Amino acid sequence: DAKTTQPPSMDCAEGRAANLPCNHSTISGNEYVYWYRQIHSQGPQYIIHGLKNNETNEMASLIITEDRKSSTLILPHATLRDTAVYYCIVRDTGRRALTFGSGTRLQVQP
Amino acid sequence: DAMVIQNPRYQVTQFGKPVTLSCSQTLNHNVMYWYQQKSSQAPKLLFHYYDKDFNNEADTPDNFQSRRPNTSFCFLDIRSPGLGDAAMYLCATSGILGEQFFGPGTRLTVL
């Protein structure tokens, strides 16, 4: 699986959009980009995934650059409950398991 | 609600005393995983089952074993826990779409 690079930490004001970047410059054509988050002392939670097109669901939007070398997870209106570690993971469709990197610790400030 | 359940949430064992952690799922997913997460680190895959087919990660110590008696249940056995095995153990499942659903974890303390 391709490696990912994320900033170790970010702050965001409550009610504002949180934009979390991820670099995956060695991604290959059959690798998807997944985002998970882990709130303190809980199991990771699936957020969204995509291959090349932008994706949106009830939790977030995923923007993938045209060359697929980077992506951004957008939480449109961050709340205090969005404070968590966010993991960007690139996964080959032929591999079932996830390889977690160090993630971004997002702190939403009141 | 369909979910992944882990019992117990907190487990204390003694150095060298075998311990078993359990995981059950109501999602009817064919893949189940065990991850280890040490303090301030990311989860690390230990092994997974695709139906009854067991897949061990190359660097998973022999001290860790797993059993999956049926689709719903999966167990993690630690034969001789050491102090370095203290961690959060996470169970997860995935179905045909690939996204994984995690349980709340079992926090293991080794005295």
Side-chain angles (χ1 to χ4, degrees):
Chain A
D1 291 343
K3 288 190 174 180
T4 61
T5 304
Q6 299 178 252
S9 64
M10 292 182 64
D11 286 344
C12 176
E14 188 177 19
R16 303 297 293 269
N19 298 289
L20 292 95
C22 179
N23 283 321
H24 31 79
S25 58
T26 60
I27 193 170
S28 62
N30 58 345
E31 289 180 315
Y32 282 74
V33 180
Y34 283 78
W35 283 84
Y36 284 75
R37 73 179 182 185
Q38 187 172 24
I39 295 169
H40 183 62
S41 294
Q42 296 183 22
Q45 176 189 23
Y46 166 80
I47 301 173
I48 199 167
H49 75 282
L51 182 63
K52 56 175 85 171
N53 297 323
N54 298 337
E55 302 287 345
T56 295
N57 64 20
E58 65 278 3
M59 288 183 69
S61 295
L62 173 61
I63 308 297
I64 303 175
T65 57
E66 192 168 342
D67 63 7
R68 302 208 324 121
K69 293 185 177 182
S70 66
S71 60
T72 301
L73 179 75
I74 301 172
L75 308 178
H77 305 286
T79 71
L80 298 178
R81 288 177 292 181
D82 292 322
T83 292
V85 178
Y86 287 77
Y87 295 101
C88 169
I89 300 166
V90 174
R91 187 178 74 97
D92 189 299
T93 53
R95 175 167 165 77
R96 301 184 196 101
L98 300 172
T99 302
F100 287 82
S102 51
T104 295
R105 184 172 298 277
L106 176 69
Q107 180 71 51
V108 181
Q109 307 282 359
Chain B
D1 284 344
M3 56 175 40
V4 181
I5 302 160
Q6 291 188 247
N7 285 307
R9 294 292 311 277
Y10 301 90
Q11 176 74 57
V12 179
T13 191
Q14 291 180 330
F15 183 95
K17 185 175 181 180
V19 65
T20 294
L21 309 182
S22 72
C23 176
S24 64
Q25 55 135 338
T26 60
L27 298 158
N28 203 33
H29 284 164
N30 54 359
V31 191
M32 294 187 77
Y33 308 80
W34 281 104
Y35 290 83
Q36 179 193 62
Q37 186 173 25
K38 295 187 176 181
S39 181
S40 300
Q41 296 183 19
K44 180 178 179 299
L45 181 69
L46 294 173
F47 26 59
H48 74 277
Y49 275 94
Y50 183 85
D51 292 326
K52 288 190 176 291
D53 182 26
F54 177 70
N55 297 271
N56 199 33
E57 292 298 294
D59 57 354
T60 297
D62 292 340
N63 197 27
F64 292 87
Q65 304 286 322
S66 185
R67 296 170 284 136
R68 188 179 187 187
N70 54 51
T71 299
S72 300
F73 286 87
C74 195
F75 300 98
L76 171 62
D77 301 309
I78 308 177
R79 292 192 296 189
S80 181
L83 298 179
D85 297 327
M88 174 80 84
Y89 290 88
L90 295 160
C91 175
T93 72
S94 66
I96 57 173
L97 296 180
E99 62 263 37
Q100 292 189 16
F101 297 85
F102 285 80
T106 294
R107 184 168 296 282
L108 179 68
T109 299
V110 182
L111 300 177

